[in-house]
Amino acid sequence: MKSEVSILIPFDLGLELEFGGEEANRIVKEISTRTTQLISFKDKMTAKAQVVTQIYKFGVGLIEVSFPMEAEMGFLTFFATEVKSISVGSMGILSWVKTFVNGLIEQAKVFASYQYVYRLEELDLFPVFSLEPGSVKDAEKFLEQHYKRLYGIVSGEANYDSLSQFVMENEKLINFGYYENELILIKRFGAVISSYESQVILNIIRLVYALYWNLRSYNFLLDRELDKAQSILAHLPPWYKFWMMPQRYQKFSEEGMNFVQDKLSIVESIYSVFANVNQIASDWHLRTIYKYVEKEFDIDDIASAVKVKLDRVEQSYNSAREFIATNFFIAVEIVLILSLLWMILDTALLYIISKK
C-alpha cells in the first residue's frame, strides 16, 4: 500500500511572533525546505526525506519530515509505534532535530515581538500516514479489516493485537470521512488519512498539534512562575525589618509587571488562533474535523488549566505586594508611635531635671 509519511516534530520557540507586510494576518510562515540525508528505520527501510520548517505566530516551530513509503498495514503500524527509532544519517531523529533547533530559533527572532525567559525544550513525534487517494474503496470495510492495526497507529499502542474488547468498545475509532471511500482517523499519537483533501486535513493537524505544544510550553512556563511566586511568598520580610520593605516591594512590583506582560502575550496568543482559520470556519466538514482534533488533544482543558495558573500567579504577586505594603505601614506607624512616646518621655525627663 502506497502512502506518504509525515512526521511532525513541534518545538517551543520561547517567542511571540509578528509577521510584517502581506503576511501580517497569517498565523504560520514557512522558513526552510530541504532534503535530508538518507533516513533509515531498524534496517528495514531507507529513504530520502523532505524537511519543511514552519513557525507559528503563537511561538511554536514545526519540523515536518516527509517521505514516500510502500508497505503492508502491519509494517505501517510497527513503524508508527517505533517512530522514535528512525535514524537520519548516523543520528537518531530526536538528536538530529536538536542539532539545528537553536539555529531555527535564531532565525525566528527576526519576527519576535516578545521573548520569554524560559522555554520548553522537550520534543515529540507525531506520524501521519496519507494513503494514496483512491486506495481505500470502501472505508467501513477497510476499517473493519484493519481495525486493531489502525488503532495501533493512531494510539501509539505497540501491543495493539492484545487489546481487549473493553478498549475496542470504549475507545472506538471514528472515521471522519465525508465520502464512503474517504478515511480520516486521528487520535493523540497518530493519524491515517485517505482523502483527496489530505493536504488540508494535514494542515488542520499541524495547526492543532502546534497549538497543543504551545499550551504545553505555557504550562511549563507557568509552573516556573508559580515556583518563583511561592518562593517569594515564603521569604517575605517580617514587619520589624521595615527598612527592607521598600526595596522588596519594588522588586515584587517589577516581577509582577513582567508577569503581566507574559500574561497579555499568552492570552492574546491563545485567542489569536481562532480568528485566523477562515477556511476551516467556512466549511462544515473541516470545522467538524478541527473540533474533533482539538478534543483529542484536550485543547480546551489545557487552555483552562493555563488560565487558572495565570490567575494564581498574578494573585500571588498581588498578595505579596499587599502584604509588604500593609506591614510597611504598620511598621511605620509603630515607629512613629514609639518616636512620639520617646519625645513625651524625653520632655518629661527634661522637665523633671529642670525642676531640680
Side-chain angles (χ1 to χ4, degrees):
M1 183 173 292
K2 291 182 180 179
S3 66
E4 181 75 13
V5 181
S6 299
I7 301 170
L8 308 182
I9 311 165
F11 59 95
D12 178 25
L13 293 169
L15 308 167
E16 299 290 340
L17 309 178
E18 287 292 341
F19 305 136
E22 296 178 356
E23 298 176 322
N25 294 323
R26 293 185 60 184
I27 200 167
V28 61
K29 179 181 179 65
E30 185 176 304
I31 59 171
S32 69
T33 302
R34 62 193 182 90
T35 303
T36 68
Q37 305 172 48
L38 203 63
I39 69 167
S40 58
F41 175 70
K42 293 184 176 289
D43 299 324
K44 295 182 182 295
M45 62 146 284
T46 55
K48 282 281 187 180
Q50 192 80 2
V51 180
V52 176
T53 304
Q54 297 177 321
I55 51 175
Y56 286 83
K57 186 178 285 188
F58 45 77
V60 171
L62 186 71
I63 298 167
E64 181 174 347
V65 180
S66 58
F67 50 90
M69 179 185 287
E70 187 168 359
E72 297 298 321
M73 281 301 304
F75 183 80
L76 296 185
T77 308
F78 175 57
F79 180 90
T81 57
E82 297 288 336
V83 68
K84 290 183 179 179
S85 300
I86 292 175
S87 295
V88 182
S90 60
M91 301 178 70
I93 188 167
L94 290 176
S95 299
W96 170 76
V97 169
K98 288 176 183 176
T99 60
F100 60 90
V101 160
N102 288 336
L104 295 172
I105 291 173
E106 288 301 315
Q107 282 183 264
K109 282 182 180 178
V110 175
F111 308 101
S113 59
Y114 188 73
Q115 182 171 356
Y116 297 100
V117 177
Y118 307 109
R119 59 173 288 269
L120 180 66
E121 296 185 4
E122 290 180 32
L123 296 171
D124 199 6
L125 305 175
F126 186 89
V128 181
F129 297 88
S130 300
L131 307 181
E132 189 176 34
S135 61
V136 176
K137 305 298 181 185
D138 186 324
E140 290 306 313
K141 286 184 179 177
F142 185 86
L143 184 55
E144 183 179 350
Q145 181 184 357
H146 301 288
Y147 196 91
K148 285 193 174 183
R149 289 171 178 169
L150 290 168
Y151 189 92
I153 291 174
V154 298
S155 65
E157 177 54 73
N159 298 315
Y160 60 90
D161 270 333
S162 303
L163 291 172
S164 68
Q165 192 62 32
F166 173 81
V167 174
M168 294 294 98
E169 290 175 358
N170 286 275
E171 289 289 334
K172 289 182 179 179
L173 294 181
I174 301 173
N175 178 19
F176 271 77
Y178 191 76
Y179 300 105
E180 289 183 353
N181 65 341
E182 194 174 35
L183 184 72
I184 303 171
L185 302 175
I186 306 162
K187 278 193 175 294
R188 167 62 188 87
F189 295 100
V192 181
I193 303 167
S194 179
S195 169
Y196 288 99
E197 288 189 304
S198 59
Q199 282 305 308
V200 179
I201 296 164
L202 188 53
N203 282 338
I204 292 174
I205 296 171
R206 290 184 187 115
L207 174 61
V208 177
Y209 196 34
L211 179 58
Y212 164 76
W213 208 254
N214 179 238
L215 291 170
R216 278 195 62 177
S217 69
Y218 289 153
N219 255 331
F220 167 79
L221 177 70
L222 290 172
D223 283 340
R224 298 292 293 264
E225 288 285 355
L226 275 170
D227 289 343
K228 187 195 294 184
Q230 287 170 356
S231 176
I232 284 173
L233 290 173
H235 297 90
L236 292 174
W239 67 268
Y240 54 83
K241 293 186 178 180
F242 60 90
W243 62 88
M244 298 174 61
M245 291 179 184
Q247 183 181 6
R248 288 292 185 93
Y249 185 88
Q250 183 180 1
K251 178 186 176 184
F252 299 154
S253 295
E254 289 173 358
E255 293 283 357
M257 288 303 296
N258 289 337
F259 176 73
V260 167
Q261 287 183 298
D262 285 353
K263 179 178 179 178
L264 289 172
S265 295
I266 289 171
V267 172
E268 182 184 2
S269 172
I270 290 173
Y271 286 105
S272 69
V273 179
F274 307 104
N276 288 276
V277 216
N278 297 324
Q279 185 180 8
I280 294 171
S282 61
D283 186 298
W284 170 84
H285 184 227
L286 295 178
R287 191 168 66 249
T288 302
I289 294 172
Y290 180 79
K291 289 179 179 177
Y292 175 75
V293 179
E294 270 197 332
K295 186 176 179 181
E296 284 297 323
F297 281 93
D298 296 323
I299 296 298
D300 287 343
D301 291 342
I302 302 174
S304 296
V306 166
K307 290 172 187 174
V308 168
K309 287 183 181 180
L310 284 170
D311 291 339
R312 284 180 179 172
V313 175
E314 188 172 31
Q315 186 178 2
S316 296
Y317 283 123
N318 289 339
S319 297
R321 287 199 299 272
E322 288 175 10
F323 179 87
I324 288 286
T326 302
N327 279 11
F328 178 72
F329 286 118
I330 290 173
V332 169
E333 287 177 6
I334 291 172
V335 170
L336 289 173
I337 291 169
L338 291 174
S339 298
L340 181 60
L341 291 173
W342 172 252
M343 288 173 63
I344 293 170
L345 179 62
D346 186 53
T347 303
L349 288 171
L350 288 173
Y351 178 78
I352 293 169
I353 293 169
S354 65
K355 286 292 183 181
K356 292 182 178 181

